[in-house]
Amino acid sequence: MRVTALIVCAGRGTRMGPGAPKQYRVLGPLPVLRHTAIAFLNHSRISDIAVVIHKEDRALYEEAVRGLRLLPPVIGGATRDESVRLGLEALADTAPDRAPPDRVLIHDGVRPFVTEETIGAVISALDEAEAAIAAMPVFDTIKSAADGTVTGTIDRSILWRAQTPQAFRFPTILAAHRAVAGRGDLPPVTDDASVAEALGIPVRIVQGSEDAFKITTEADLRRAERHLRGDE
Ligand SMILES: Nc1ccn([C@@H]2O[C@H](COP(=O)(O)OP(=O)(O)OP(=O)(O)O)[C@@H](O)[C@H]2O)c(=O)n1
Ligand SMILES: C[C@](O)(CO)[C@H](O)COP(=O)(O)O
């Protein structure tokens, strides 16, 4: 069985502020992306890895992954879901040299601390399901509000914080992304489970890890440095 990790890294990291895109920022001794790629390279059930990059980041990418055995990078698009779809199409278009993957794990390149356990768990979940995502329960009290005033308290027992990897049987997610591409009648798509949900495909929840937080802001990068040092 071919299990491919599709690592999306074509964003601009605007919430991080000025400087190199966050996926190429140095975290400890290595670029963020290199940490992430190594986590998947070290997993015995991952067959290969492809990274989706921004068209202006080729040099940054080549430097960050120098010496790592990866599939050729794919140029992404203006939105995360477009980058994913372009990555999936590239994986589909590898015949006759290589058959498409059986399973694909779509992962944010800026979640470097993905765990071996979570990678294995989302892969295994696909034995019984077409889709499975890493997620974490909600521990805070969640409010709705309008004009700065609370309008209610949301039942947090039904809420989960979606993470990545988000794992799919490859034909399922390829068809789903193709089906929703360009549809203006759907709510904004911020993860790949949303694409599957839009088509009524059941998505299993798999326990993720608090360590697998997404690096979005400067504060997250500082948190990641502390995590790497073992200070949290
Ligand atoms: N057009 C895009 C947008 C995002 N991503 C990737 O999707 C992941 C999660 O997205 P996010 O954290 O929002 O990254 P950015 O879009 O770069 O951040 P911002 O919204 O702050 O610009 C990141 O690894 C990012 O590189 C992508 O491949 N293509
Ligand atoms: C895919 C994701 O990381 C799951 O939580 C999240 O949806 C990315 O959202 P962003 O708006 O691109 O940061």
Side-chain angles (χ1 to χ4, degrees):
M1 179 185 304
R2 181 187 170 195
V3 182
T4 297
L6 185 65
I7 299 176
V8 285
C9 280
R12 296 292 78 196
T14 53
R15 288 171 287 179
M16 177 63 74
K22 57 188 179 177
Q23 54 269 39
Y24 301 111
R25 297 285 183 94
V26 174
L27 172 56
L30 304 175
V32 169
L33 169 57
R34 194 173 184 94
H35 287 282
T36 307
I38 288 171
F40 286 92
L41 280 170
N42 287 345
H43 201 286
S44 61
R45 298 186 68 184
I46 296 294
S47 311
D48 44 32
I49 299 167
V51 182
V52 184
I53 66 172
H54 190 279
K55 63 182 187 298
E56 295 171 358
D57 291 347
R58 173 79 62 169
L60 287 169
Y61 167 79
E62 298 292 356
E63 180 58 30
V65 301
R66 186 177 310 281
L68 299 184
R69 184 183 55 81
L70 306 178
L71 295 175
V74 181
I75 300 302
T79 61
R80 186 185 183 282
D81 58 296
E82 186 179 356
S83 292
V84 170
R85 183 175 52 78
L86 291 167
L88 294 172
E89 293 289 0
L91 293 176
D93 186 26
T94 53
D97 303 328
R98 181 193 299 258
D102 301 282
R103 298 179 181 179
V104 62
L105 276 62
I106 303 166
H107 186 70
D108 297 329
V110 292
R111 289 183 187 266
F113 303 124
V114 56
T115 68
E116 179 182 9
E117 293 76 16
T118 300
I119 293 171
V122 293
I123 294 172
S124 296
L126 298 183
D127 293 345
E128 306 296 331
E130 294 186 78
I133 65 168
M136 295 298 290
V138 172
F139 300 124
D140 299 315
T141 294
I142 304 297
K143 302 289 187 184
S144 60
D147 300 323
T149 301
V150 171
T151 55
T153 299
I154 311 294
D155 174 8
R156 65 183 173 191
S157 67
I158 62 167
L159 299 180
W160 289 81
R161 290 175 284 137
Q163 298 182 325
T164 66
Q166 301 199 351
F168 305 86
R169 293 178 187 171
F170 183 75
T172 300
I173 193 61
L174 177 62
H177 265 281
R178 285 173 172 172
V180 305
R183 274 185 51 183
D185 60 322
L186 296 174
V189 171
T190 54
D191 74 344
D192 302 290
S194 304
V195 174
E197 294 158 41
L199 300 179
I201 298 166
V203 178
R204 300 291 299 164
I205 290 243
V206 166
Q207 179 78 29
S209 165
E210 291 296 353
D211 291 343
F213 62 91
K214 183 160 68 77
I215 297 175
T216 303
T217 63
E218 280 284 358
D220 297 323
L221 195 56
R222 293 194 297 272
R223 177 185 174 190
E225 289 283 359
R226 293 195 300 273
H227 176 80
L228 207 56
R229 292 195 305 268
D231 291 348
E232 71 159 42

